[in-house]
Amino acid sequence: MTKLLHISASPRGTRSESRALASRFLQVYGEQHPTHEVTEWDLWDGTLPAFGPAAAGAKMDVFAGVEPTGEGAAAWAAARAAFDRFAATDKLLFSVPMWNAGIPYILKQFIDVVSQPGLVFGFDPVEGYRGLLTGRKAAVVYTSAVYGEGRGPAFGTDFQRPYFEDWLRWAGITDITTVAFRPNLATADAAAGRALATADATEAAKRF
């Protein structure tokens, strides 16, 4: 059975623009693919483990070909469980609001937890990194309240989409669909832009 996982990085619940667009995407996707399994992971629900000293030490042990022990073993097991939850899917939907020109810290934590040697990537001293998550598709909903293409530098810079899609490609996911809603909420009526983004999410879900 084809599986789709929605990973949400917004803590704003029903007030979240990115979650609203993702919900529309999932509604249409479900209508198109009624037999597919769709699950959700709210990164703010407390299930994402920390990646601190023990986990960092375990990662370096794995790099060196050594089995982690003690606290490192427990931290590595938690990271592996998070990776397994993430990787046991064929398709991924991410809802990603812009925070301070980039991504929310909880999404960066997710990336740091799952991006482990032998899981997300391989490494060769001559050839460099190799992404291991090939064959999967990703859709990403990007939102920002002030930044938007064509606005001056005083309205911010986009380190959100370039960073996140670089990570996806680094991990081996190259089939990427995007939906963006970037109104200037300080000065403009966002309704028209929201309607366009909702239409984009609808069409993207039909093709996904």
Side-chain angles (χ1 to χ4, degrees):
M1 177 187 294
T2 299
K3 298 180 180 180
L4 182 152
L5 174 64
H6 170 218
I7 296 176
S8 173
S10 173
R12 299 187 67 234
T14 58
R15 299 177 62 192
S16 167
E17 298 281 8
S18 62
R19 288 181 68 97
L21 288 169
S23 294
R24 175 58 180 168
F25 185 104
L26 292 174
Q27 176 190 356
V28 176
Y29 182 87
E31 293 168 355
Q32 298 289 313
H33 305 285
T35 63
H36 291 191
E37 180 181 325
V38 177
T39 56
E40 302 213 28
W41 188 356
D42 179 353
L43 295 181
W44 299 93
D45 66 6
T47 60
L48 184 65
F51 198 82
K59 180 174 185 173
M60 299 313 297
D61 285 343
V62 172
F63 257 127
V66 177
E67 187 72 20
T69 59
E71 291 184 0
W76 183 253
R80 178 59 192 258
F83 167 80
D84 289 344
R85 181 177 179 182
F86 160 59
T89 55
D90 308 287
K91 300 179 180 182
L92 296 152
L93 171 64
F94 295 89
S95 46
V96 184
M98 178 180 281
W99 281 22
N100 299 310
I103 63 174
Y105 72 83
I106 197 75
L107 182 56
K108 181 60 166 63
Q109 180 180 336
F110 165 82
I111 290 171
D112 290 340
V113 168
V114 302
S115 296
Q116 303 303 337
L119 302 181
V120 164
F121 68 92
F123 182 77
D124 180 89
V126 175
E127 300 296 330
Y129 288 108
R130 181 180 81 261
L132 301 179
L133 298 182
T134 57
R136 291 172 176 80
K137 300 175 67 173
V140 189
V141 175
Y142 296 106
T143 57
S144 54
V146 175
Y147 167 80
E149 292 183 6
R151 297 174 194 145
F155 291 87
T157 304
D158 184 9
F159 297 107
Q160 174 198 44
R161 179 172 176 173
Y163 171 80
F164 190 65
E165 292 185 18
D166 181 75
W167 174 74
L168 288 173
R169 288 189 292 269
W170 175 78
I173 302 172
T174 57
D175 189 338
I176 304 170
T177 298
T178 62
V179 175
F181 176 42
R182 302 194 185 282
N184 184 344
L185 295 184
T187 61
D189 180 1
R194 186 179 293 109
L196 287 173
T198 301
D200 287 345
T202 298
E203 293 305 312
K206 291 178 180 178
R207 299 189 303 268
F208 195 60

PDB file of all heavy atoms in Angstrom, residues 83-99:
ATOM      1  N   PHE A  83      13.742   8.168  12.520  1.00  0.00           N
ATOM      2  CA  PHE A  83      14.028   7.933  11.102  1.00  0.00           C
ATOM      3  C   PHE A  83      13.078   6.891  10.527  1.00  0.00           C
ATOM      4  O   PHE A  83      12.546   7.070   9.422  1.00  0.00           O
ATOM      5  CB  PHE A  83      15.473   7.474  10.915  1.00  0.00           C
ATOM      6  CG  PHE A  83      15.722   6.923   9.540  1.00  0.00           C
ATOM      7  CD1 PHE A  83      15.941   7.775   8.469  1.00  0.00           C
ATOM      8  CD2 PHE A  83      15.700   5.551   9.312  1.00  0.00           C
ATOM      9  CE1 PHE A  83      16.131   7.269   7.186  1.00  0.00           C
ATOM     10  CE2 PHE A  83      15.904   5.038   8.042  1.00  0.00           C
ATOM     11  CZ  PHE A  83      16.119   5.901   6.974  1.00  0.00           C
ATOM     12  N   ASP A  84      12.862   5.798  11.240  1.00  0.00           N
ATOM     13  CA  ASP A  84      11.991   4.743  10.735  1.00  0.00           C
ATOM     14  C   ASP A  84      10.570   5.267  10.506  1.00  0.00           C
ATOM     15  O   ASP A  84       9.920   4.905   9.511  1.00  0.00           O
ATOM     16  CB  ASP A  84      11.959   3.572  11.713  1.00  0.00           C
ATOM     17  CG  ASP A  84      13.264   2.785  11.730  1.00  0.00           C
ATOM     18  OD1 ASP A  84      14.068   2.940  10.787  1.00  0.00           O
ATOM     19  OD2 ASP A  84      13.483   2.033  12.704  1.00  0.00           O
ATOM     20  N   ARG A  85      10.100   6.106  11.404  1.00  0.00           N
ATOM     21  CA  ARG A  85       8.762   6.700  11.234  1.00  0.00           C
ATOM     22  C   ARG A  85       8.710   7.571   9.980  1.00  0.00           C
ATOM     23  O   ARG A  85       7.716   7.573   9.248  1.00  0.00           O
ATOM     24  CB  ARG A  85       8.427   7.522  12.477  1.00  0.00           C
ATOM     25  CG  ARG A  85       7.056   8.179  12.461  1.00  0.00           C
ATOM     26  CD  ARG A  85       6.814   8.901  13.770  1.00  0.00           C
ATOM     27  NE  ARG A  85       5.515   9.561  13.777  1.00  0.00           N
ATOM     28  CZ  ARG A  85       5.051  10.296  14.787  1.00  0.00           C
ATOM     29  NH1 ARG A  85       5.801  10.441  15.881  1.00  0.00           N
ATOM     30  NH2 ARG A  85       3.858  10.873  14.725  1.00  0.00           N
ATOM     31  N   PHE A  86       9.774   8.283   9.740  1.00  0.00           N
ATOM     32  CA  PHE A  86       9.870   9.174   8.591  1.00  0.00           C
ATOM     33  C   PHE A  86      10.039   8.408   7.279  1.00  0.00           C
ATOM     34  O   PHE A  86       9.388   8.703   6.270  1.00  0.00           O
ATOM     35  CB  PHE A  86      11.061  10.116   8.835  1.00  0.00           C
ATOM     36  CG  PHE A  86      11.645  10.782   7.629  1.00  0.00           C
ATOM     37  CD1 PHE A  86      10.881  11.604   6.821  1.00  0.00           C
ATOM     38  CD2 PHE A  86      12.986  10.605   7.313  1.00  0.00           C
ATOM     39  CE1 PHE A  86      11.441  12.242   5.712  1.00  0.00           C
ATOM     40  CE2 PHE A  86      13.552  11.238   6.226  1.00  0.00           C
ATOM     41  CZ  PHE A  86      12.774  12.046   5.418  1.00  0.00           C
ATOM     42  N   ALA A  87      10.881   7.396   7.302  1.00  0.00           N
ATOM     43  CA  ALA A  87      11.283   6.739   6.058  1.00  0.00           C
ATOM     44  C   ALA A  87      10.331   5.632   5.615  1.00  0.00           C
ATOM     45  O   ALA A  87      10.431   5.176   4.475  1.00  0.00           O
ATOM     46  CB  ALA A  87      12.688   6.167   6.209  1.00  0.00           C
ATOM     47  N   ALA A  88       9.415   5.222   6.469  1.00  0.00           N
ATOM     48  CA  ALA A  88       8.501   4.127   6.122  1.00  0.00           C
ATOM     49  C   ALA A  88       7.334   4.623   5.278  1.00  0.00           C
ATOM     50  O   ALA A  88       6.191   4.198   5.462  1.00  0.00           O
ATOM     51  CB  ALA A  88       7.993   3.456   7.397  1.00  0.00           C
ATOM     52  N   THR A  89       7.615   5.546   4.370  1.00  0.00           N
ATOM     53  CA  THR A  89       6.574   6.138   3.540  1.00  0.00           C
ATOM     54  C   THR A  89       7.094   6.270   2.111  1.00  0.00           C
ATOM     55  O   THR A  89       8.304   6.308   1.866  1.00  0.00           O
ATOM     56  CB  THR A  89       6.175   7.534   4.040  1.00  0.00           C
ATOM     57  OG1 THR A  89       7.348   8.360   4.113  1.00  0.00           O
ATOM     58  CG2 THR A  89       5.535   7.472   5.410  1.00  0.00           C
ATOM     59  N   ASP A  90       6.150   6.359   1.183  1.00  0.00           N
ATOM     60  CA  ASP A  90       6.498   6.534  -0.230  1.00  0.00           C
ATOM     61  C   ASP A  90       6.462   8.003  -0.638  1.00  0.00           C
ATOM     62  O   ASP A  90       7.179   8.426  -1.538  1.00  0.00           O
ATOM     63  CB  ASP A  90       5.509   5.756  -1.102  1.00  0.00           C
ATOM     64  CG  ASP A  90       5.387   4.308  -0.657  1.00  0.00           C
ATOM     65  OD1 ASP A  90       6.332   3.545  -0.907  1.00  0.00           O
ATOM     66  OD2 ASP A  90       4.352   3.946  -0.045  1.00  0.00           O
ATOM     67  N   LYS A  91       5.582   8.764   0.031  1.00  0.00           N
ATOM     68  CA  LYS A  91       5.400  10.171  -0.300  1.00  0.00           C
ATOM     69  C   LYS A  91       5.398  10.992   0.977  1.00  0.00           C
ATOM     70  O   LYS A  91       4.923  10.530   2.026  1.00  0.00           O
ATOM     71  CB  LYS A  91       4.083  10.379  -1.056  1.00  0.00           C
ATOM     72  CG  LYS A  91       3.988   9.618  -2.367  1.00  0.00           C
ATOM     73  CD  LYS A  91       2.643   9.863  -3.049  1.00  0.00           C
ATOM     74  CE  LYS A  91       2.520   9.106  -4.350  1.00  0.00           C
ATOM     75  NZ  LYS A  91       1.224   9.371  -5.043  1.00  0.00           N
ATOM     76  N   LEU A  92       5.907  12.217   0.881  1.00  0.00           N
ATOM     77  CA  LEU A  92       6.021  13.097   2.035  1.00  0.00           C
ATOM     78  C   LEU A  92       5.421  14.452   1.714  1.00  0.00           C
ATOM     79  O   LEU A  92       5.658  15.006   0.641  1.00  0.00           O
ATOM     80  CB  LEU A  92       7.488  13.267   2.425  1.00  0.00           C
ATOM     81  CG  LEU A  92       8.195  11.995   2.905  1.00  0.00           C
ATOM     82  CD1 LEU A  92       9.675  12.068   2.625  1.00  0.00           C
ATOM     83  CD2 LEU A  92       7.930  11.774   4.383  1.00  0.00           C
ATOM     84  N   LEU A  93       4.658  14.978   2.647  1.00  0.00           N
ATOM     85  CA  LEU A  93       4.128  16.331   2.565  1.00  0.00           C
ATOM     86  C   LEU A  93       4.632  17.095   3.783  1.00  0.00           C
ATOM     87  O   LEU A  93       4.440  16.662   4.914  1.00  0.00           O
ATOM     88  CB  LEU A  93       2.595  16.315   2.545  1.00  0.00           C
ATOM     89  CG  LEU A  93       1.890  17.671   2.685  1.00  0.00           C
ATOM     90  CD1 LEU A  93       2.198  18.572   1.495  1.00  0.00           C
ATOM     91  CD2 LEU A  93       0.385  17.479   2.846  1.00  0.00           C
ATOM     92  N   PHE A  94       5.288  18.226   3.543  1.00  0.00           N
ATOM     93  CA  PHE A  94       5.795  19.069   4.620  1.00  0.00           C
ATOM     94  C   PHE A  94       5.055  20.407   4.591  1.00  0.00           C
ATOM     95  O   PHE A  94       4.903  21.016   3.526  1.00  0.00           O
ATOM     96  CB  PHE A  94       7.286  19.351   4.443  1.00  0.00           C
ATOM     97  CG  PHE A  94       8.175  18.153   4.548  1.00  0.00           C
ATOM     98  CD1 PHE A  94       8.466  17.388   3.422  1.00  0.00           C
ATOM     99  CD2 PHE A  94       8.741  17.786   5.753  1.00  0.00           C
ATOM    100  CE1 PHE A  94       9.301  16.282   3.495  1.00  0.00           C
ATOM    101  CE2 PHE A  94       9.576  16.687   5.844  1.00  0.00           C
ATOM    102  CZ  PHE A  94       9.859  15.927   4.709  1.00  0.00           C
ATOM    103  N   SER A  95       4.598  20.886   5.732  1.00  0.00           N
ATOM    104  CA  SER A  95       4.071  22.246   5.841  1.00  0.00           C
ATOM    105  C   SER A  95       5.082  23.063   6.635  1.00  0.00           C
ATOM    106  O   SER A  95       5.386  22.752   7.791  1.00  0.00           O
ATOM    107  CB  SER A  95       2.688  22.266   6.486  1.00  0.00           C
ATOM    108  OG  SER A  95       2.610  21.461   7.638  1.00  0.00           O
ATOM    109  N   VAL A  96       5.610  24.121   5.976  1.00  0.00           N
ATOM    110  CA  VAL A  96       6.798  24.812   6.485  1.00  0.00           C
ATOM    111  C   VAL A  96       6.576  26.319   6.500  1.00  0.00           C
ATOM    112  O   VAL A  96       6.704  26.987   5.465  1.00  0.00           O
ATOM    113  CB  VAL A  96       8.035  24.474   5.619  1.00  0.00           C
ATOM    114  CG1 VAL A  96       9.282  25.123   6.213  1.00  0.00           C
ATOM    115  CG2 VAL A  96       8.218  22.972   5.479  1.00  0.00           C
ATOM    116  N   PRO A  97       6.257  26.901   7.644  1.00  0.00           N
ATOM    117  CA  PRO A  97       6.213  28.367   7.730  1.00  0.00           C
ATOM    118  C   PRO A  97       7.621  28.938   7.788  1.00  0.00           C
ATOM    119  O   PRO A  97       8.571  28.251   8.178  1.00  0.00           O
ATOM    120  CB  PRO A  97       5.464  28.609   9.048  1.00  0.00           C
ATOM    121  CG  PRO A  97       5.796  27.414   9.882  1.00  0.00           C
ATOM    122  CD  PRO A  97       5.923  26.259   8.928  1.00  0.00           C
ATOM    123  N   MET A  98       7.756  30.202   7.373  1.00  0.00           N
ATOM    124  CA  MET A  98       9.050  30.871   7.467  1.00  0.00           C
ATOM    125  C   MET A  98       9.202  31.492   8.850  1.00  0.00           C
ATOM    126  O   MET A  98       8.320  32.223   9.314  1.00  0.00           O
ATOM    127  CB  MET A  98       9.181  31.960   6.392  1.00  0.00           C
ATOM    128  CG  MET A  98      10.493  32.730   6.459  1.00  0.00           C
ATOM    129  SD  MET A  98      10.667  34.019   5.191  1.00  0.00           S
ATOM    130  CE  MET A  98      11.127  33.019   3.774  1.00  0.00           C
ATOM    131  N   TRP A  99      10.321  31.212   9.481  1.00  0.00           N
ATOM    132  CA  TRP A  99      10.668  31.831  10.756  1.00  0.00           C
ATOM    133  C   TRP A  99      12.013  32.532  10.587  1.00  0.00           C
ATOM    134  O   TRP A  99      13.031  31.877  10.302  1.00  0.00           O
ATOM    135  CB  TRP A  99      10.785  30.772  11.863  1.00  0.00           C
ATOM    136  CG  TRP A  99       9.464  30.306  12.432  1.00  0.00           C
ATOM    137  CD1 TRP A  99       8.234  30.379  11.849  1.00  0.00           C
ATOM    138  CD2 TRP A  99       9.270  29.673  13.696  1.00  0.00           C
ATOM    139  NE1 TRP A  99       7.287  29.824  12.659  1.00  0.00           N
ATOM    140  CE2 TRP A  99       7.890  29.384  13.806  1.00  0.00           C
ATOM    141  CE3 TRP A  99      10.123  29.312  14.737  1.00  0.00           C
ATOM    142  CZ2 TRP A  99       7.340  28.757  14.920  1.00  0.00           C
ATOM    143  CZ3 TRP A  99       9.574  28.673  15.850  1.00  0.00           C
ATOM    144  CH2 TRP A  99       8.210  28.417  15.948  1.00  0.00           C
TER     145      TRP A  99
END
